[in-house]
Amino acid sequence: LTKDRYPNIKRGDYAELNQNHLDYFHGLLGQNRVLSDPSDCEMYNIDFIKGVRGYSQCVLKPQTTEEVSKILSFCNQHRLAVCPQGGNTGLVGGSVPVFDEIVLSTSLMNNIISIDNISGVVVCEAGCILESLDDVLREKGLMMPLDLGAKGSCNIGGNVSTNAGGLRLLRYGNLHGSVLGIEAVKANGDVIDCLSTLKKDNTGYHLKHLFIGSEGTLGIVTKVAVHGPSKPKSLNLALLGLHSFENILQTYERAKNDLSEILSSCEMMDERSLDVVTSHLKLKSPIGDFPFYMVVETSGSNEKHDEEKLNAFLEGVMSEGIVADGTVTNEPGKMRAIWDLRERITEGLLHDGYLFKYDISLPIKEFYSLVPKMKERLGSDASRVSGYGHIGDGNIHLNISVPEFSPDILKKVEPYVYELTSTYKGSISAEHGVGFRKPPYIHYSKSENAISLMKDLKKMMDPNGILNPYKVLPS
Ligand code: FAD
Ligand code: 2HG
Ligand code: ZN
């Protein structure tokens, strides 16, 4: 797959795995935590959207920081390339090997180390599954500050390494704010202990930020300290139907002003995005058909106050004809059903065939402009051009579905889509990262000097380039 699509990528000058290497790993981890049977390695070689496939013959499953350190020190000495992997839900091909890189899976590093009920800080290992962490925190009146459709599989280490955004970034900010501390292992095996649990700590350079969003190219995150906010006592969710994108902008502005501190999520989807989950996954929408939809969530501490505010907001936007129809609920089952309509679009899209997937930040007024432009440009070449995402964060997910991959269609889409984004001064990767798919296009969003400094940092922290090669930085 990869070879056909990316003929310009050459395998780096790394050693090939041999029996001596395997003997070392067996000695360190035992037989069960070293996978070398091709069928056992298969799932670690293919990414979620089945767009990138490597052929690694070795998956390592360390359980401690010390083991990660020993693995990296050995790989660095023997010039063996390593691909760090968490839940393998990444959407830019960063989590799977491109060639035969060793996969270092954090899946067995899944202990919660401590939870402080008063400060809300949770300290845990990188392989903890996001949803499991959230479940444990909720029992203590806390919650994780991020939520995304992949929560059942993605790991907190993967979330931190991609600086994942998700459905409530609008309320709780991104992980650069919520992550208080990190322990990471550098390519040479050095353990960098920045596992502070303090909210304020201005002692020198803020090194943890190097690991947040660097997609496994600067080090392997082994532990994190995250600030968990209080679990809301009152929760409401509305699904709204709207006639135009202009109405979405008006509704978002009103939601911000009318709901202010209780607004916890503001998402949008177009009709072709909703159709993905109703047609392919057979989910039912509780409202009629409209060109656009919004999901608006409130969370707070006083049910009566929140309901009053939400009802006043809804009455206002509906009586003025900004919102055409809607439903609002605080029943957990009904709220889950509405969230599924939004969260399962990624999964549903896979049923369309091959996907050209873009994750773009744009100035809010231009948020939707790429969708009609790409639709017109592609005509009948595309079976679906859909747009949905985090309107409150100015981040749209543009998905172009085609029955199967075609280099001719690729040429029509790229680099045009990146050029357009750059014209609007947007970002070509708002939340999913650069991974394997986007390094050649990073210059559309980063200056030459910024890219050069990134390369210098990489050289300093990983001089042999063993950590996640072919990813993030352009060659
Ligand atoms: P992986 O996919 O395993 O890895 C992602 C990257 O991080 C890779 O480059 C990998 O090498 C690196 N990495 C993983 N673990 C470590 C570690 N411990 N140390 C160093 N590097 C590491 N993303 C969003 O931002 N917002 C969303 O709303 C969102 N929704 C999604 C919904 C679905 C259904 C799916 C499938 C994906 C979604 N994503 C979203 C993308 C993805 O889930 C996130 O990027 C997630 O944070 C990845 O976590 P993971 O554990 O699966 O990491
Ligand atoms: C979301 O917001 C994710 O649902 C995935 O970031 C987006 O699949 C996508 O394009
Ligand atoms: Zn998203």
Side-chain angles (χ1 to χ4, degrees):
L1 280 170
T2 302
K3 278 178 196 152
D4 292 339
R5 286 195 202 125
Y6 306 100
N8 300 328
I9 312 277
K10 299 263 172 296
R11 186 182 179 281
D13 184 21
Y14 301 106
E16 284 182 21
L17 185 79
N18 63 34
Q19 194 55 48
N20 289 340
H21 303 139
L22 280 174
D23 288 346
Y24 175 79
F25 296 136
H26 284 142
L28 181 67
L29 305 177
Q31 298 288 329
N32 291 343
R33 294 193 283 128
V34 180
L35 310 183
S36 52
D37 186 292
S39 63
D40 292 338
C41 296
E42 175 90 355
M43 63 184 261
Y44 300 87
N45 272 306
I46 306 172
D47 72 333
F48 182 86
I49 58 168
K50 300 190 170 40
V52 180
R53 180 194 291 262
Y55 50 87
S56 175
Q57 293 150 32
C58 181
V59 177
L60 304 177
K61 296 189 166 190
Q63 274 174 328
T64 64
T65 302
E66 203 188 343
E67 287 176 353
V68 174
S69 166
K70 285 188 172 151
I71 291 168
L72 289 191
S73 165
F74 180 85
C75 289
N76 195 41
Q77 276 165 32
H78 294 81
R79 289 186 82 89
L80 286 162
V82 176
C83 173
Q85 190 177 97
N88 197 11
T89 67
L91 297 173
V92 287
S95 54
V96 291
V98 176
F99 296 99
D100 57 345
E101 302 90 276
I102 289 171
V103 176
L104 189 153
S105 163
T106 55
S107 58
L108 298 183
M109 302 179 73
N110 52 12
N111 290 306
I112 295 179
I113 297 160
S114 65
I115 298 174
D116 184 322
N117 287 33
I118 300 173
S119 66
V121 179
V122 54
V123 181
C124 65
E125 292 177 340
C128 289
I129 289 176
L130 176 61
E131 192 170 39
S132 313
L133 282 173
D134 195 54
D135 288 346
V136 172
L137 286 186
R138 277 174 193 274
E139 280 168 22
K140 297 182 182 295
L142 300 165
M143 60 183 277
M144 286 299 280
L146 79 160
D147 185 13
L148 36 121
K151 58 181 152 261
S153 318
C154 63
N155 295 181
I156 189 67
N159 299 147
V160 168
S161 302
T162 54
N163 187 26
L167 305 163
R168 292 200 187 85
L169 186 138
L170 167 85
R171 171 72 157 267
Y172 300 108
N174 72 30
L175 287 171
H176 283 285
S178 302
V179 172
L180 305 180
I182 282 185
E183 178 195 80
V185 183
K186 268 174 59 197
N188 66 0
D190 284 356
V191 178
I192 307 296
D193 181 355
C194 292
L195 198 60
S196 168
T197 55
L198 305 171
K199 217 164 188 181
K200 301 181 79 171
D201 178 16
N202 278 349
T203 47
Y205 304 149
H206 289 230
L207 294 177
K208 70 180 178 197
H209 294 297
L210 282 176
F211 300 102
I212 303 176
S214 55
E215 302 178 63
T217 58
L218 299 182
I220 296 199
V221 175
T222 44
K223 293 191 186 95
V224 294
V226 182
H227 177 254
S230 298
K231 180 176 87 170
K233 293 193 177 79
S234 139
L235 208 54
N236 292 288
L237 194 62
L239 176 69
L240 311 175
L242 306 97
H243 287 302
S244 68
F245 178 66
E246 191 51 38
N247 289 154
I248 290 202
L249 288 181
Q250 291 166 322
T251 307
Y252 168 51
E253 196 181 3
R254 286 288 288 271
K256 269 200 312 177
N257 293 335
D258 293 358
L259 301 171
S260 58
E261 84 289 353
I262 62 165
L263 180 65
S264 50
S265 187
C266 193
E267 298 282 310
M268 67 75 70
M269 44 201 172
D270 64 10
E271 59 187 334
R272 289 175 300 279
S273 301
L274 186 74
D275 175 67
V276 165
V277 287
T278 52
S279 300
H280 293 316
L281 306 181
K282 309 285 174 236
L283 303 186
K284 296 262 177 293
S285 166
I287 62 173
D289 295 340
F290 295 92
F292 293 96
Y293 303 89
M294 286 178 86
V295 176
V296 176
E297 185 192 71
T298 65
S299 32
S301 58
N302 184 320
E303 211 169 296
K304 196 162 163 278
H305 163 267
D306 294 3
E307 267 173 24
E308 259 170 36
K309 263 189 162 170
L310 183 59
N311 288 338
F313 157 71
L314 290 173
E315 273 164 32
V317 286
M318 290 183 83
S319 64
E320 289 167 45
I322 299 172
V323 168
D325 193 12
T327 178
V328 59
T329 181
N330 59 10
E331 284 178 43
K334 288 188 179 160
M335 290 197 287
R336 186 65 260 153
I338 292 175
W339 270 128
D340 279 350
L341 295 173
R342 164 63 186 88
E343 288 181 27
R344 295 184 64 190
I345 297 171
T346 303
E347 172 197 344
L349 277 165
L350 296 179
H351 294 253
D352 268 355
Y354 185 83
L355 287 174
F356 295 102
K357 203 174 243 315
Y358 304 96
D359 159 39
I360 284 164
S361 272
L362 289 171
I364 196 82
K365 285 215 167 113
E366 303 300 339
F367 183 89
Y368 197 66
S369 28
L370 264 57
V371 179
K373 283 207 167 75
M374 292 314 293
K375 208 165 178 290
E376 196 189 327
R377 185 174 171 90
L378 292 169
S380 59
D381 281 346
S383 42
R384 186 192 308 267
V385 178
S386 56
Y388 69 101
H390 318 287
I391 182 78
D393 310 321
N395 169 202
I396 187 160
H397 298 304
L398 164 71
N399 280 273
I400 298 167
S401 314
V402 291
E404 56 186 36
F405 175 75
S406 139
D408 291 336
I409 300 181
L410 175 62
K411 274 190 212 133
K412 280 193 187 174
V413 181
E414 295 180 15
Y416 178 73
V417 69
Y418 298 125
E419 281 164 5
L420 262 183
T421 306
S422 165
T423 313
Y424 291 125
K425 301 207 181 323
S427 166
I428 64 144
S429 180
E431 62 174 10
H432 298 157
V434 178
F436 177 60
R437 294 184 157 268
K438 299 182 188 168
Y441 309 107
I442 194 171
H443 64 275
Y444 284 104
S445 292
K446 280 274 180 311
S447 69
E448 213 176 291
N449 281 352
I451 295 170
S452 165
L453 180 58
M454 283 166 67
K455 286 185 173 174
D456 289 347
L457 276 171
K458 171 73 177 173
K459 224 173 266 166
M460 185 191 73
M461 294 183 66
D462 178 16
N464 293 331
I466 63 157
L467 277 176
N468 230 3
Y470 326 107
K471 316 280 172 64
V472 183
L473 294 165
S475 52

